[in-house]
Amino acid sequence: MGRGKLRIYLGAAPGVGKTYAMLAEAHRRVERGTDCVVGFVEHHGRPRTEVLLHGLETVPRRTVEYRGTSFTEMDVDAVLARRPAVALVDELAHSNVPGSRNPKRWQDVAELLAAGIDVVSTVNIQHLESLGDVVEAITGVRQQETVPDEVVRRADQIELVDMSPEALRRRMAHGNVYTPDKVDAALSNYFRPGNLTALRELALLWTADRVDEYLRRYRGEHNIRSTWQARERIVVGLTGGPEGRTLIRRATRLAEKGAGGEVLAVYIARSDGLTAASPKELAVQRTLVEDLGGTFHHVVGDDIPTALLDFARGVNATQIVLGSSRRRTWQYVLGPGVGQTVARDSGPDLDVHIVTHGEVAKGRGLPVARGARLGRSRILGGWLVGVAGPVALALLLTHTDADLGLANDMLLFLALTVGAALLGGFLPALASAAAGSLLLNWFFTPPIHRITIADPLNIVAIAVFFGVAMAVASVVDLAARRTQQAARLRAESEVLSYLAGSVLRGETSLDALLERVRETFSMESVALLERADGAEPWVRAAAVGPHPAARPEDADVDMPVGDHLALALSGRVLPAEDRRVLGAFAAQAAVVLDRQRLVGEAEEARKLAEGNKIRTSLLAAVSHDLRTPLAGIKASVSSLRSDDVEWSEEDRAELLEGIEAGADRLDHLVGNLLDMSRLQTGTVTPLIRAVDLDEVVPMALGGVPDGSAEADIPETLPMVEVDKGLLERAVANIVENAVKYSPDGVPVAVGASVLGDRVELRVVDRGPGVPDESKDGIFEPFQRFGDAPRGSGVGLGLAVARGFVEAMGGTLSAEDTPGGGLTMVLTLRAAAGGAPPPAELPAHAVT
């Protein structure tokens, strides 16, 4: 008996139609004659789901008693006894009632599959175990029911059920997902457009990875080496030379021509770890490819064309981009270049682009780090071993009775030569080999104590000794210097990687960068000096450490950056090989200094522009909106003072009422102007304390006509950290604005809810609404939207409200009201220890 197959409908969010799609698939299978039963599907009284259940055989459920209440769960034993070909099991992540056969429903499904029964099931993306933290960060709701990712990944078929956020919200507003009494709460909390968009992206990315995984497995199982051009994957071969930036940009343009194109830059290093590539240039190229949305890969391989092709086929690449060879013409006598070899061996399924650049035929020209200097003590030790060592060995051998033979004597002198090479390098080893040859001739080859050699074989032996000593010394010295070079290049690459990382992270602290220079080069102080021109004195732009240099000539090391900047280091003199890394630090310091100044200038320009804009708008407001109530007050007062007309008591009361209304309007306008002035000058200092919303909201609604707004503030809400007075003014302005645009007879709804450590206050109107592109603009000072009458205010209410809310650490934003209108969302911090557990999703949804 084989194992059953699992098909899963993966939903981007609740309500997208997973269960509907599953039941529709069941009807198609029944029509084809497949024995299909319903193991567990709950329609929750939703007509459309219930209709699809008609005509399908349903296995009776099992009743489970728990804490005095009866629950129904899938009867696994009954399904196994029925043994259908296909069983429908909804909600794969569901937790069974305690006392059931298994704790989780996916374990029930595993039993059915093991019995050879095919299963069709459903699950939402937010119920995957690995995405729990991500979903909680997005929605503020922690999913209690989850399913291991591996259970879903092992499914034989996964079908994504997707829907745009706008369509899903419309479906909910029509009552097709939750009951009407839960729609508003769901739309304003879990089912916001941003939440739904993020969940949709998670579902699409997870499914795309699953598709790539299946494709790789299928190609591996069938030993398919050719490229399948499912989507454009472009591999860029880098050498570490300056042409790499051109290749990366060219490959990015090629990838942008097709949907879903991907760029993979690869650098292939030889297995000996020694390379002529510039670590600094590779770090720059890595940063560039990552900034352009690609990935960087480091591969080890001695045969570069083969390693490049293996990598390209391994990632299912469709194109390879290489640069024209930098080899000179005569070098082609040694064989074809990498580009020609790759193009020849790529085959018909892998396109190779050879891109020209400015370094063609100029030779490698890559900077190779010079060997690090040996310490003085090591050099002295090497000369001591190389010169005094052979003399001491000759005296020791001639004053002992042991006759070791010429061959053993040569091996002893050869050992001294190797030791001299390890300590002092090649020159002490050369001296040791020469001294050893002379001493062997004088003391150990007849005639003794004469330069001449009687036996020709001894001449050959001494010559061979000298040659072997020189060869061994050369190899040992080269290996030692290569080791030192590799260690130095590694240290340099770490420093350059730090600089590249600081650029990616957007770090702008000049003092931190200079402190890093001081630590890297073990300096006492570091200063960045600048001057306007050659005649001006130097000025410190920044400095760290005691007694920084005031001029480049006063420093132990100076590194010019252009004509007007210099990096001055005090403490010790640096060797020449360290100046390359120091130059990178100096260039980065100049960039950080320019960035800091540009940010400051941009902020000053922004403040000036805002100030000019506010002054212009204030003059416009004063010229009309403030004069309008003043004109009404003056007209009423002039009428009352007139002796030509005899006013009745009713007329006098009406005129006085007009004066009072105009004065109130003036007071409101001037109050908003003063509030905006305080916000612009930064003089608003909120007094934050824990406050209940049900204390503030009723007071804020006192300024609007009775019946024009309705508040529903749950008593279970936690307290919020706010300034009570500022919050009251902000809510009053928001509600007054909503009432102004709301249709007659339709009250504005004011409600509140809790999301994690936040509390949201929502003011909902059914007015004309605001287009998406204008939502941010309504919070600007002196902005009035649509057909607002000129006398309805100066357009400061929402600007003042947002300013007050942000001063208290909250946010104020605008959203569309489902069915038409605008919803103002005011988010505040919940008081510490006062937040109740986060709200779960409504219990049931029609999908």
Side-chain angles (χ1 to χ4, degrees):
M1 180 180 61
R3 178 180 175 83
K5 295 184 178 180
L6 175 61
R7 176 170 184 165
I8 294 178
Y9 286 92
L10 177 66
V16 294
K18 303 178 302 302
T19 304
Y20 193 94
M22 179 181 68
L23 293 175
E25 171 66 18
H27 280 282
R28 287 192 292 270
R29 296 195 181 198
V30 169
E31 290 174 358
R32 294 195 297 265
T34 303
D35 183 14
C36 183
V37 302
V38 175
F40 187 96
V41 173
E42 183 66 63
H43 61 78
H44 304 302
R46 305 301 193 266
R48 297 185 179 182
T49 307
E50 187 175 5
V51 167
L52 283 180
L53 283 172
H54 294 163
L56 296 176
E57 179 185 348
T58 301
V59 176
R61 300 181 186 179
R62 177 171 176 262
T63 302
V64 181
E65 297 288 337
Y66 181 67
R67 293 183 178 179
T69 306
S70 297
F71 300 90
T72 60
E73 296 287 359
M74 181 175 68
D75 192 337
V76 180
D77 291 328
V79 177
L80 291 174
R82 170 64 175 75
R83 294 198 57 79
V86 179
L88 308 182
V89 183
D90 205 3
E91 300 174 0
L92 186 63
H94 172 75
S95 296
N96 293 328
V97 176
S100 300
R101 182 188 184 97
N102 294 301
K104 304 289 289 187
R105 184 164 293 164
W106 62 264
Q107 295 171 322
D108 296 339
V109 169
E111 286 196 37
L112 300 181
L113 294 173
I117 300 173
D118 294 346
V119 176
V120 182
S121 187
T122 65
V123 70
N124 283 324
I125 189 68
Q126 71 266 21
H127 292 296
L128 295 182
E129 181 66 41
S130 65
L131 301 178
D133 294 338
V134 179
V135 172
E136 183 179 11
I138 294 171
T139 65
V141 176
R142 182 68 182 183
Q143 300 296 326
Q144 303 300 323
E145 295 187 331
T146 58
V147 58
D149 289 45
E150 187 59 26
V151 173
V152 182
R153 286 185 178 277
R154 285 202 305 262
D156 299 274
Q157 296 182 57
I158 298 177
E159 183 171 334
L160 179 64
V161 184
D162 186 27
M163 179 178 289
S164 69
E166 295 78 9
L168 180 54
R169 284 171 60 85
R170 283 196 301 270
R171 174 182 287 186
M172 295 193 64
H174 295 156
N176 294 331
V177 180
Y178 295 143
T179 56
D181 59 317
K182 297 177 180 177
V183 169
D184 288 339
L187 288 174
S188 61
N189 291 286
Y190 193 90
F191 288 86
R192 300 177 183 176
N195 291 1
L196 296 177
T197 301
L199 292 174
R200 188 185 192 194
E201 183 178 14
L202 280 178
L204 291 171
L205 291 175
W206 194 93
T207 307
D209 289 342
R210 179 67 172 79
V211 171
D212 277 347
E213 178 184 333
Y214 174 77
L215 182 59
R216 286 194 298 269
R217 185 171 67 246
Y218 181 86
R219 286 164 53 85
E221 291 173 352
H222 294 77
N223 196 26
I224 299 175
R225 299 286 296 167
S226 61
T227 299
W228 286 5
Q229 300 183 0
R231 63 173 175 173
E232 292 293 342
R233 282 192 178 91
I234 302 176
V235 171
V236 185
L238 301 179
T239 65
E243 78 281 358
R245 307 182 200 184
T246 301
L247 303 183
I248 292 171
R249 294 188 178 98
R250 177 59 175 160
T252 303
R253 291 196 297 271
L254 288 173
E256 290 173 350
K257 292 181 179 179
E262 184 179 356
V263 175
L264 301 91
V266 57
Y267 170 71
I268 299 175
R270 297 189 182 277
S271 58
D272 56 12
L274 301 176
T275 174
S278 167
K280 177 181 178 181
E281 185 63 32
L282 280 177
V284 171
Q285 292 172 13
R286 179 175 193 145
T287 301
L288 176 62
V289 71
E290 290 175 350
D291 286 344
L292 294 176
T295 56
F296 183 90
H297 304 267
H298 195 115
V299 176
V300 177
D302 291 323
D303 188 341
I304 293 179
T306 301
L308 181 61
L309 288 171
D310 288 344
F311 175 83
R313 293 191 175 103
V315 298
N316 199 26
T318 58
Q319 303 179 55
I320 297 178
V321 174
L322 298 172
S324 296
S325 178
R326 286 185 282 122
R327 300 201 303 176
R328 301 186 188 278
T329 304
W330 63 267
Q331 291 178 304
Y332 284 97
V333 176
L334 304 176
V338 172
Q340 294 182 15
T341 305
V342 170
R344 182 192 64 202
D345 299 339
S346 62
D349 55 349
L350 195 57
D351 298 335
V352 179
H353 301 265
I354 305 296
V355 179
T356 59
H357 51 84
E359 303 297 322
V360 175
K362 291 185 178 180
R364 301 288 294 179
L366 295 175
V368 180
R370 298 173 57 189
R373 293 182 178 180
L374 298 174
R376 179 175 298 180
S377 60
R378 287 192 59 181
I379 294 176
L380 291 176
W383 281 106
L384 182 63
V385 172
V387 176
V391 174
L393 179 61
L395 292 175
L396 177 65
L397 293 176
T398 55
H399 287 79
T400 59
D401 296 334
D403 185 8
L404 302 179
L406 182 61
N408 290 326
D409 294 336
M410 287 183 175
L411 290 177
L412 292 174
F413 279 98
L414 181 61
L416 289 176
T417 302
V418 173
L422 287 173
L423 286 174
F426 182 73
L427 291 180
L430 177 62
S432 176
S437 300
L438 292 174
L439 292 172
L440 285 169
N441 180 18
W442 186 263
F443 289 104
F444 302 103
T445 57
I448 297 174
H449 301 151
R450 294 181 61 182
I451 297 297
T452 59
I453 301 174
D455 190 350
L457 294 178
N458 290 338
I459 297 176
V460 174
I462 291 177
V464 170
F465 163 79
F466 185 81
V468 170
M470 295 310 336
V472 171
S474 176
V475 171
V476 170
D477 175 66
L478 179 62
R481 290 188 177 275
R482 287 293 192 183
T483 301
Q484 295 159 2
Q485 290 176 15
R488 182 174 191 83
L489 287 173
R490 178 180 178 182
E492 289 184 3
S493 67
E494 290 177 353
V495 172
L496 296 173
S497 176
Y498 162 79
L499 289 177
S502 66
V503 173
L504 289 174
R505 294 188 296 269
E507 296 177 356
T508 57
S509 175
L510 187 56
D511 289 341
L513 181 63
L514 296 184
E515 184 64 31
R516 177 76 181 208
V517 174
R518 190 170 74 91
E519 294 175 357
T520 300
F521 298 103
S522 300
M523 291 293 178
E524 293 180 0
S525 62
V526 179
L528 183 63
L529 307 176
E530 66 173 340
R531 61 181 177 181
D533 53 56
E536 295 291 330
W538 289 96
V539 178
R540 291 194 195 101
V544 294
H547 312 296
R551 299 179 304 169
E553 49 267 29
D554 297 336
D556 294 311
V557 181
D558 71 282
M559 175 61 66
V561 188
D563 297 330
H564 307 297
L565 284 175
L567 194 62
L569 290 75
S570 301
R572 67 185 181 92
V573 177
L574 289 179
E577 53 265 29
D578 284 340
R579 294 185 65 86
R580 185 164 62 95
V581 177
L582 181 61
F585 270 112
Q588 177 67 7
V591 170
V592 171
L593 179 63
D594 289 341
R595 183 184 301 160
Q596 286 182 347
R597 290 179 173 171
L598 287 174
V599 170
E601 292 173 1
E603 182 63 20
E604 290 296 327
R606 185 188 65 80
K607 291 180 179 179
L608 289 174
E610 288 183 356
N612 290 333
K613 180 180 177 181
I614 289 175
R615 282 192 290 271
T616 302
S617 301
L618 179 60
L619 289 174
V622 171
S623 65
H624 185 280
D625 294 290
L626 294 182
R627 291 179 62 186
T628 300
L630 282 175
I633 293 173
K634 186 177 186 305
S636 297
V637 172
S638 299
S639 298
L640 289 173
R641 289 174 53 86
S642 175
D643 297 332
D644 299 336
V645 180
E646 189 69 31
W647 300 102
S648 65
E649 289 298 325
E650 291 79 4
D651 293 336
R652 292 174 62 84
E654 184 177 352
L655 290 172
L656 290 173
E657 184 179 352
I659 294 172
E660 183 179 14
D664 290 341
R665 185 174 167 194
L666 270 179
D667 179 68
H668 181 73
L669 294 176
V670 172
N672 275 338
L673 286 172
L674 293 176
D675 289 339
M676 180 53 60
S677 176
R678 291 168 58 203
L679 290 170
Q680 294 293 332
T681 56
T683 57
V684 176
T685 305
L687 180 61
I688 303 297
R689 61 185 182 87
V691 175
D692 278 324
L693 279 181
D694 54 6
E695 296 179 5
V696 178
V697 173
M699 298 175 64
L701 300 184
V704 297
D706 292 340
S708 60
E710 296 178 351
D712 181 14
I713 310 298
E715 295 181 357
T716 57
L717 280 180
M719 302 177 77
V720 291
E721 297 278 357
V722 295
D723 182 304
K724 184 176 180 180
L726 295 184
L727 179 60
E728 181 183 341
R729 289 293 304 276
V731 175
N733 283 0
I734 297 171
V735 173
E736 289 175 8
N737 184 79
V739 170
K740 183 190 309 179
Y741 289 97
S742 189
D744 293 337
V746 180
V748 171
V750 182
S753 60
V754 61
L755 279 177
D757 60 348
R758 299 167 294 166
V759 174
E760 285 192 350
L761 185 69
R762 306 178 73 86
V763 180
V764 182
D765 69 61
R766 296 293 179 176
V770 177
D772 291 339
E773 62 272 12
S774 302
K775 284 188 172 64
D776 288 335
I778 63 177
F779 295 103
E780 296 294 327
F782 306 103
Q783 298 295 318
R784 285 177 296 196
F785 179 73
D787 57 353
R790 289 289 300 173
S792 62
V794 295
L796 284 175
L798 293 181
V800 169
R802 172 175 272 189
F804 282 170
V805 171
E806 291 179 349
M808 295 182 290
T811 60
L812 178 61
S813 59
E815 297 179 357
D816 291 330
T817 301
L822 190 69
T823 298
M824 290 291 176
V825 183
L826 193 158
T827 305
L828 303 168
R829 295 194 307 266
E840 291 292 341
L841 283 173
H844 302 297
V846 176
T847 56

